[in-house]
Amino acid sequence: MTRHSGDSKLRITYGVHQAQLLEISELFDQAFAGKFKYAIPDAQLRIEFWSEILNSDQIFTAYVDGELAGIALLTFEAHSGFLPTAQKTLFRNLGLKGGIRAAFYFALYSKLDSKILNPAIYLEALSVSEKFRGMGLGSALIDEIVRFGIANGYKSLTLKVTLENTSAQRLYEKLGFSARKVSKTPILAIFTKVSGATTMELELRNQVAQ
């Protein structure tokens, strides 16, 4: 999809080349460094880890005038947004001690996960570059995912927002998402600044493909 907004050209595509993954991982980390810095404190190691485990077939990218501006990572019931080699990659990149530390934190975060029921799409991550915020790119990416979901017979789009990220919750509410479930994990709050998450859902059957 390509559209013009004023003097800028926005292009959104689904599926990326391996060569794009490092740049995409840097943008992914911009959005989630505050959450995952407890698991992998070193920023460069985190970005390298993401570049090796993100599923390139399930990433939407938004480019403005040829510059990467936003990404969205999807997960489906049978196909995760992260490659199945993630755990091996974690220990290979971080070593035994670092791998155990990271695996511990990832296990804590996994307690907030909800089972993905078919036919549904789970929005694993949405990130917009600081340079391009305020241009409606997050909404544009959601619109593309909705069109994709409707065209492929999916019934809903779900996502998870940490309880502390109230601005993201308000954004998704404006886009038509409704809160379905609140999960709290006291042990997670002890080790991180995340106390829980809200699962939100957008029913695609109520949307009209543009």
Side-chain angles (χ1 to χ4, degrees):
M1 183 279 288
T2 301
R3 70 174 69 159
H4 290 268
S5 179
D7 295 328
S8 298
K9 183 172 71 173
L10 169 64
R11 178 171 58 88
I12 298 179
T13 58
Y14 184 57
V16 302
H17 297 294
Q18 292 293 318
Q20 296 173 269
L21 282 176
L22 186 58
E23 184 182 21
I24 287 169
S25 297
E26 291 173 349
L27 184 50
F28 180 93
D29 198 63
Q30 275 188 28
F32 298 100
K35 177 180 177 181
F36 291 114
K37 66 182 180 182
Y38 301 100
I40 308 176
D42 185 278
Q44 191 56 45
L45 286 177
R46 269 199 321 273
I47 291 169
E48 290 175 1
F49 176 62
W50 302 137
S51 72
E52 293 187 54
I53 70 164
L54 296 182
N55 189 337
S56 59
D57 293 332
Q58 294 171 201
I59 300 174
F60 273 95
T61 53
Y63 283 83
V64 175
D65 295 333
E67 186 175 350
L68 181 64
I71 61 167
L73 176 66
L74 307 183
T75 278
F76 307 97
E77 182 186 33
H79 302 284
S80 172
F82 302 100
L83 298 179
T85 55
Q87 186 170 353
K88 289 183 179 179
T89 302
L90 189 67
F91 282 90
R92 186 184 72 241
N93 290 9
L94 302 180
L96 181 60
K97 184 178 179 179
I100 290 175
R101 172 195 172 93
F104 168 74
Y105 280 99
F106 285 134
L108 290 181
Y109 283 118
S110 72
K111 294 182 179 297
L112 298 176
D113 291 343
S114 300
K115 185 177 181 180
I116 301 167
L117 300 176
N118 202 42
I121 301 172
Y122 179 73
L123 179 58
E124 195 77 57
L126 178 69
S127 179
V128 174
S129 171
E130 293 179 0
K131 177 180 177 179
F132 296 100
R133 288 177 188 171
M135 296 176 58
L137 294 184
S139 299
L141 281 164
I142 293 292
D143 287 345
E144 282 302 303
I145 296 170
V146 167
R147 280 190 277 270
F148 171 87
I150 293 173
N152 289 279
Y154 290 96
K155 303 301 181 183
S156 65
L157 172 61
T158 63
L159 55 87
K160 184 175 60 184
V161 184
T162 61
L163 298 180
E164 290 72 21
N165 195 353
T166 55
S167 60
Q169 291 180 48
R170 289 193 295 268
L171 170 64
Y172 289 124
E173 287 172 354
K174 288 180 180 179
L175 294 175
F177 285 81
S178 299
R180 297 301 190 201
K181 176 184 177 183
V182 175
S183 303
K184 293 185 178 181
T185 305
I187 190 172
L188 181 62
I190 293 173
F191 292 96
T192 74
K193 295 182 179 180
V194 175
S195 60
T198 299
T199 299
M200 306 185 75
E201 181 182 45
L202 179 68
E203 294 188 9
L204 300 185
R205 63 187 177 185
N206 295 331
Q207 308 301 310
V208 178
Q210 300 294 321

